[in-house]
Amino acid sequence: MDFRNFEMPFAISEKYKKKVAYFSMEFAIDQSLKIYSGGLGFLAGSHMRSAYSLRQDFVGIGILWKYGYYDQARNADQTLVPVWTEKFYSFLVDTGIKFQIEIHGAPVWVKAMYLDPETFNTAPMFFLTTDLEENDEMSKTISHRLYDANQATKVAQYILLGKGGAKLLDEMNFERDIYHLNEAHALPAAFYLLDKFGGNLEKVKEKLVFTTHTPEEAGNEKHSLQLCEEMSYFSGLPAEKAKEIEGYPAPDQFNHSLCALKMARISNGVSQLHGIVSNEMWGKYEGISEITSITNAQDYKYWADKQLYDAKDDSDGALFEFRKKRLKKQLFQIVADQCGKLFDPDVLTIVWARRFAGYKRADLLLRDRERFEKLLNNPEHPVQIIWAGKPYPLDYAAIDTFNYLVRESHNYKNMAVLTGYELELSRELKQGSDVWLNNPRVPREASGTSGMTAAMNGSINLSTDDGWIPEFARHGENAFVVPKADYENMSIEKQDQYDLEKIYEIIENEVLPTYYDKPAKWRKIQFAAMDEVKECFSSDRMADEYYTKLYNF
């Protein structure tokens, strides 16, 4: 293949002929390709698979992280220790393309690797690396660790993804109509285009669309304006000119998301609620693009257990139950291997598994010790609970929460904390759980797609009413939902206490009695969730909406 004159390797559907390049810091494509950390990557991976199945004129651009995010290992006492291991991928193709971009006022060599669509059934994908012998040691480290803690390295990573990705397209003579930024990390692509188009911002806007995933202004990344200029973030545009475009009131800070909203012709939040929150959050700034909403989704073909769906479609309750217990046993082998505990497939199993972050409240159930003890020691309605997830390796509060749960698990034979929360373990947890617990503080969760793939495997969501849940959940019919309170006028402590009490009430009064005493009703809830999540929250729908709502807008 001549990558200098790259062409799409399959026939394009007439419906999806708009030419799109999709920039993302992470992609969860396959367990063997460890270049992702959490939900953003899971979402991007599903998008790539659906773009392939729909035959869209669509390519993904990311970074080939030499050490990935990190490998989640254990200390001697089973608490968490991050490990960075060099990764090797024999299935990636060297394009033979090397080029230079300016980072920190100096030329840095970049090489592009290619993932063929047939390898994992994705859109064509290109991954950039600076880990080349032509570069000095500092430049090599740019593509070493996903979300590097060093601020200058992090800005350099954004430049590599955005400026490097945009220049790669030019090196390949591969014209794109749309540059889609999945979060603001790749914003330097916009400044590369601005320089390419002679400073014509309107021409940049014609090509740029932006997806925001962060529902709090404080959570959107900002860096020193001086640092960004010194790192060559703006492709030669003077910092004061970049600041005029961005318009953030702090004169010494550069707000990446706000600038993306100013340079894009249209943007979107990732659920209906997040779209509303985003408009309220950014609407006070003049000159931002329209913010619509496209609710995140996951690839049904990748995540769903076919045998479960076949049994459901045949209304074969016995076969469905047999298959579900088989999936539980597979998960419990992992629990036994990691934790030395034997879980029972006849016992209701609750799973909390996702990225560890403070607002997601991994330890919420344990904040009422008396009720937690009662829950785990209920002889009539027994329960098993599993936690899993990766804290950011320098988020010491999140790591403390993880380690606290590990230490507490030593006191209960029916509580386990697993490490290695990546694609395969995620799938095992969703297939092997009965209840998928999701309890973020409302409205902090922009979408929260893990519950979608859980529902695809007969695991019933128990959730606060945030992210995608308001569009899906009907309490007691396809999920269990904590009723919203007047959160805006509650302190964090009161909100946590309210949600905690409601979750326990739902578990004790609805979940447990239904599972053990009304199995037909439980099955009805499972089947309703499986039908409705497949229909409305499969990523083929999402990938189609991006064309109709963003690319063809």
Side-chain angles (χ1 to χ4, degrees), residues 63-67 86 103 107-110 128-145 148 153 156-157 160:
I63 295 176
L64 185 60
W65 302 107
K66 182 176 183 177
Y67 298 101
E86 186 173 352
I103 300 178
V108 173
W109 281 99
V110 178
L128 307 174
T129 178
T130 60
D131 191 50
L132 306 170
E133 59 184 26
E134 294 93 333
N135 287 328
D136 59 34
E137 289 304 311
M138 186 68 73
S139 298
K140 289 179 181 178
T141 66
I142 295 170
S143 61
H144 279 188
R145 298 180 181 183
D148 195 291
T153 306
Q157 292 174 342
L160 172 61

Side-chain angles (χ1 to χ4, degrees), residues 49 91 147 184 227 230 263 294 337 351 372 386 398 432 492 527:
R49 286 188 286 270
F91 49 81
Y147 302 132
L227 173 65
E230 290 173 353
M263 299 184 79
I294 298 173
D337 179 47
V351 169
F372 187 70
I386 302 170
I492 286 177
F527 286 5

Side-chain angles (χ1 to χ4, degrees), residues 212-227:
T212 174
H213 294 258
T214 310
E216 275 198 342
E217 187 173 338
N220 286 268
E221 284 200 69
K222 309 171 192 68
H223 286 97
S224 158
L225 182 67
Q226 181 180 353
L227 173 65

Side-chain angles (χ1 to χ4, degrees), residues 269-327:
V270 289
S271 68
Q272 290 178 12
L273 177 59
H274 182 227
I276 294 168
V277 170
S278 295
N279 276 289
E280 291 174 350
M281 181 168 67
W282 299 112
K284 62 188 175 185
Y285 296 103
E286 292 185 5
I288 66 166
S289 64
E290 176 188 342
I291 306 174
T292 184
S293 65
I294 298 173
T295 300
N296 279 347
Q298 292 291 319
D299 183 19
Y300 163 81
K301 298 179 293 298
Y302 178 88
W303 285 102
D305 183 76
K306 185 178 185 302
Q307 293 183 51
L308 275 180
Y309 268 91
D310 287 346
K312 176 195 68 65
D313 292 342
D314 292 339
S315 299
D316 191 334
L319 181 58
F320 185 91
E321 180 68 19
F322 176 83
R323 179 59 182 167
K324 187 65 181 178
K325 285 189 177 179
R326 177 60 189 158
L327 294 171

Side-chain angles (χ1 to χ4, degrees), residues 5-29:
N5 293 283
F6 183 76
E7 295 180 355
M8 290 295 290
F10 49 74
I12 301 301
S13 167
E14 193 68 31
K15 187 177 180 182
Y16 304 116
K17 284 197 168 182
K18 186 70 70 85
K19 298 173 172 58
V20 180
Y22 180 96
F23 295 73
S24 183
M25 282 283 275
E26 50 175 301
F27 293 91
I29 298 298

Side-chain angles (χ1 to χ4, degrees), residues 3-5 94-99 110-113 126 168 171-172:
F3 288 99
R4 289 284 180 181
N5 293 283
D94 188 341
T95 63
I97 295 177
K98 287 184 183 180
F99 56 90
V110 178
K111 182 169 76 171
M113 303 295 288
F126 295 89
L168 172 65
E171 292 284 327
M172 296 194 301

Side-chain angles (χ1 to χ4, degrees), residues 2 4 18 37 55 139 167 198 208 233 257 333 351 418 434 448 468 542:
D2 180 10
R4 289 284 180 181
K18 186 70 70 85
S37 72
R55 292 301 193 257
S139 298
K167 186 167 183 180
L208 201 71
Y233 186 102
S257 295
Q333 288 175 355
V351 169
L418 303 181
D434 296 305
W468 76 290
M542 177 187 71

Side-chain angles (χ1 to χ4, degrees), residues 365 368-383 412 414 504 507-509 512:
L365 283 181
D368 188 328
R369 176 66 58 177
E370 182 179 344
R371 233 159 166 178
F372 187 70
E373 293 271 353
K374 179 183 174 184
L375 179 66
L376 265 65
N377 294 300
N378 185 336
E380 182 184 2
H381 291 152
V383 168
Y412 305 95
N414 50 346
Y504 269 116
I507 293 174
E508 292 165 353
N509 301 328
L512 290 172

